[in-house]
Amino acid sequence: MPSEKQNIQPLLLTYPGNESFSAALHQHLNFESVEYILRSFPDAETYLRILSDVAETKVAVLCSLVHPNEKFLPLYFLCKALKEQGAKEVGLIAPYLAYLRQDKIFQSGETITSRHFATLLSETLDWLITVDPHLHRYSSLAEIYKIPTMVLHADNSIAEWIKNNITNPILIGPDSESEQWVSEVAKKVGTPHLILQKVRKGDREVELSLPSLQNFQNHTPIILDDIISSGETMKKTVQLIIKNGMSAPICVGVHAVLEPNAEQGLLEAGAKQVITCNTIPHSSNGIDLSQTILEGLKLFQESGVFSSGG
Ligand code: R5P
């Protein structure tokens, strides 16, 4: 007989804008949904009301945190309201976790926003599940988050997609941070990989240098990065690869932060295709991670994070 802990199935509250991922989760498992009203008053302040009975339950809020500034306050109110209505635990499934960019003070007067955001979320939530957070100078989320966190990875799903769709690939990472993802995926696909050197000159300006491609001219280049935002990093990589005589590369990103026109810019620069995981809803989504999230939830549950509360 499974223990009481293992039987506990969280309710799912889908934050607006996350419906497609929610539908994918529901396909695998029939979560009971939390119904609620969330709207803005004419002065743009938030009104919200929980309609479902959440007393004594554990609620998983599904909210990908792209554009976090506009989402955080309503999310905070939602979590408070759930607790006030008697929810025992409120956790967050954030397929994309924001505010990991500033992990160091580079110039006097700056502040480490990643720490402050982590403190705010840690004070609001009981746990957090996310996919491939942009950990650069932090070795793990535990360095800044004070709640249990689980990090899931897109590497298996990306590797599967490459195996099923591309013949003779070579994986290319645009900068040293990308090596952690690129080397894992390359290992799983059983293919070589190369890492470029990047120097960031500004928010939308990067300089890249490429190692020799001499031995890989017959391969299909796949550029892989965790985030595609302005698209400049990928764009420069695409241009460099084409300049070096290789065929049109495929751009793969875990998180489609993609600014408007960034995908178009990549295609115009010569990319054959842009494909992303569905951690952020976007027309380029082609790799579904809902099964990965479900497996993570299950592991969390088995480890007792969804405690019995007894
Ligand atoms: C940074 O190191 C990340 O891994 C990405 O390379 C970066 O966020 C991409 O940004 P953009 O698309 O604006 O060049």
Side-chain angles (χ1 to χ4, degrees), residues 1-309:
M1 265 267 290
S3 70
E4 189 190 349
K5 271 182 196 170
Q6 286 165 335
N7 271 333
I8 292 162
Q9 167 83 356
L11 307 183
L12 189 68
L13 187 151
T14 304
Y15 190 91
N18 294 266
E19 292 75 12
S20 59
F21 202 101
S22 174
L25 283 182
H26 278 286
Q27 262 183 11
H28 298 296
L29 206 67
N30 198 17
F31 284 109
E32 233 179 273
S33 299
V34 175
E35 304 299 331
Y36 64 100
I37 298 170
L38 178 64
R39 67 174 174 82
S40 294
F41 286 111
D43 62 3
E45 287 185 10
T46 294
Y47 169 85
L48 77 87
R49 184 177 164 214
I50 305 293
L51 301 173
S52 303
D53 178 6
V54 296
E56 302 298 309
T57 65
K58 305 180 192 271
V59 181
V61 178
L62 173 65
C63 180
S64 192
L65 285 172
V66 67
H67 305 153
N69 293 7
E70 63 202 45
K71 291 194 181 109
F72 179 73
L73 206 48
L75 183 66
Y76 172 80
F77 292 141
L78 265 175
C79 295
K80 287 285 172 201
L82 288 165
K83 281 286 176 78
E84 283 163 9
Q85 294 307 305
K88 282 185 157 181
E89 268 177 36
V90 179
L92 178 67
I93 303 171
Y96 172 68
L97 180 61
Y99 275 114
L100 285 164
R101 179 194 288 259
Q102 183 106 32
D103 54 5
K104 179 184 163 177
I105 291 185
F106 296 91
Q107 299 188 65
S108 65
E110 292 176 353
T111 187
I112 303 181
T113 50
S114 52
R115 280 196 180 279
H116 302 313
F117 192 63
T119 301
L120 285 173
L121 283 190
S122 299
E123 286 167 2
T124 307
L125 299 161
D126 294 302
W127 49 262
L128 167 72
I129 295 181
T130 191
V131 178
D132 288 330
H134 186 77
L135 295 174
H136 182 191
R137 292 174 191 87
Y138 299 125
S139 58
S140 79
L141 287 180
E143 272 188 52
I144 50 172
Y145 280 81
K146 302 285 171 258
I147 48 175
T149 56
M150 174 172 269
V151 168
L152 301 166
H153 301 286
D155 52 2
N156 282 329
S157 306
I158 294 175
E160 271 313 297
W161 185 88
I162 294 173
K163 279 198 237 169
N164 293 334
N165 292 280
I166 313 293
T167 38
N168 202 21
I170 173 162
L171 261 85
I172 298 172
D175 54 24
S176 53
E177 288 126 276
S178 68
E179 178 145 29
Q180 51 186 308
W181 300 285
V182 174
S183 58
E184 271 312 302
V185 174
K187 213 188 301 167
K188 286 180 172 146
V189 180
T191 196
H193 74 274
L194 292 173
I195 304 294
L196 278 65
Q197 294 304 316
K198 175 167 93 175
V199 179
R200 185 171 279 287
K201 302 268 172 145
D203 286 353
R204 291 188 175 73
E205 204 191 332
V206 292
E207 258 179 33
L208 297 172
S209 54
L210 184 68
S212 168
L213 290 174
Q214 219 176 332
N215 298 329
F216 305 110
Q217 292 297 326
N218 297 324
H219 286 66
T220 304
I222 300 184
I223 310 168
L224 173 60
D225 207 353
D226 61 334
I227 295 170
I228 316 177
S229 181
S230 69
E232 276 309 303
T233 302
M234 281 271 177
K235 194 159 125 188
K236 287 272 160 55
T237 314
V238 168
Q239 289 165 338
L240 213 52
I241 285 172
I242 292 176
K243 206 168 126 198
N244 279 270
M246 292 195 85
S247 58
I250 292 161
C251 298
V252 180
V254 179
H255 305 296
V257 174
L258 283 160
E259 286 178 9
N261 303 327
E263 184 183 11
Q264 191 52 31
L266 286 173
L267 296 172
E268 281 166 12
K272 188 173 174 194
Q273 186 184 0
V274 179
I275 179 123
T276 58
C277 302
N278 58 347
T279 58
I280 297 170
H282 191 268
S283 55
S284 62
N285 291 168
I287 302 172
D288 177 28
L289 296 186
S290 54
Q291 189 67 48
T292 305
I293 294 277
L294 278 174
E295 281 160 19
L297 269 173
K298 219 192 302 165
L299 278 174
F300 233 33
Q301 202 165 2
E302 283 165 8
S303 72
V305 174
F306 302 139
S307 56
S308 66

